[in-house]
Amino acid sequence: EKRFTHINDTFDCAVCLKKIKPHPSSCRNHCPFCLSSLHLDINPGDRASSCKGVMKAVSYKIHSKKGLMIHHKCTKCHVVKINRASHEIKSQPDDFNKILSLTPKN
């Protein structure tokens, strides 16, 4: 079973409608401006979820090995997914202040 499908395309944010560029070295699945995403995947990149709800950033955690992680919760089915923040890249970095305004997780 493949657990990760590499998809790193330009997309328009379904919430703030901004055009989002591909990540320069990884995959991007959330908007760096409003931090929202869509519930499209079961496993990263598989596009197998039937939900398609808006995923809102609700909290963050600093992981000892992976760095700053953003927790997204689906507004439709309430599933929670965790994504690595991209606040240190040069091209469309995640809004660091917006991340820090979320609830920190212990």
Side-chain angles (χ1 to χ4, degrees), residues 31-68:
C31 175
F33 302 104
C34 72
L35 304 179
S36 297
S37 183
L38 290 178
H39 187 185
L40 301 176
D41 302 337
I42 293 174
N43 293 311
D46 65 10
R47 302 301 187 253
S49 175
S50 60
C51 177
K52 313 297 187 233
V54 171
M55 302 283 289
K56 289 289 196 179
V58 293
S59 60
Y60 71 92
K61 183 174 184 174
I62 299 173
H63 189 277
S64 62
K65 293 182 182 173
K66 295 181 180 181
L68 189 57

Side-chain angles (χ1 to χ4, degrees), residues 1-15:
E1 174 185 335
K2 195 172 184 182
R3 301 276 299 160
F4 185 87
T5 303
H6 185 92
I7 296 177
N8 190 33
D9 297 329
T10 297
F11 64 93
D12 294 332
C13 178
V15 176

Side-chain angles (χ1 to χ4, degrees), residues 31-106:
C31 175
F33 302 104
C34 72
L35 304 179
S36 297
S37 183
L38 290 178
H39 187 185
L40 301 176
D41 302 337
I42 293 174
N43 293 311
D46 65 10
R47 302 301 187 253
S49 175
S50 60
C51 177
K52 313 297 187 233
V54 171
M55 302 283 289
K56 289 289 196 179
V58 293
S59 60
Y60 71 92
K61 183 174 184 174
I62 299 173
H63 189 277
S64 62
K65 293 182 182 173
K66 295 181 180 181
L68 189 57
M69 305 296 287
I70 303 170
H71 297 220
H72 288 88
K73 185 174 184 178
C74 182
T75 59
K76 187 174 176 184
C77 74
H78 311 291
V79 72
V80 175
K81 301 276 185 171
I82 302 171
N83 295 288
R84 183 176 287 162
S86 296
H87 61 288
E88 296 175 333
I89 63 173
K90 291 183 180 178
S91 176
Q92 289 187 335
D94 288 351
D95 185 330
F96 188 64
N97 289 327
K98 192 163 286 217
I99 295 170
L100 293 181
S101 74
L102 302 171
T103 302
K105 287 276 190 182
N106 293 327

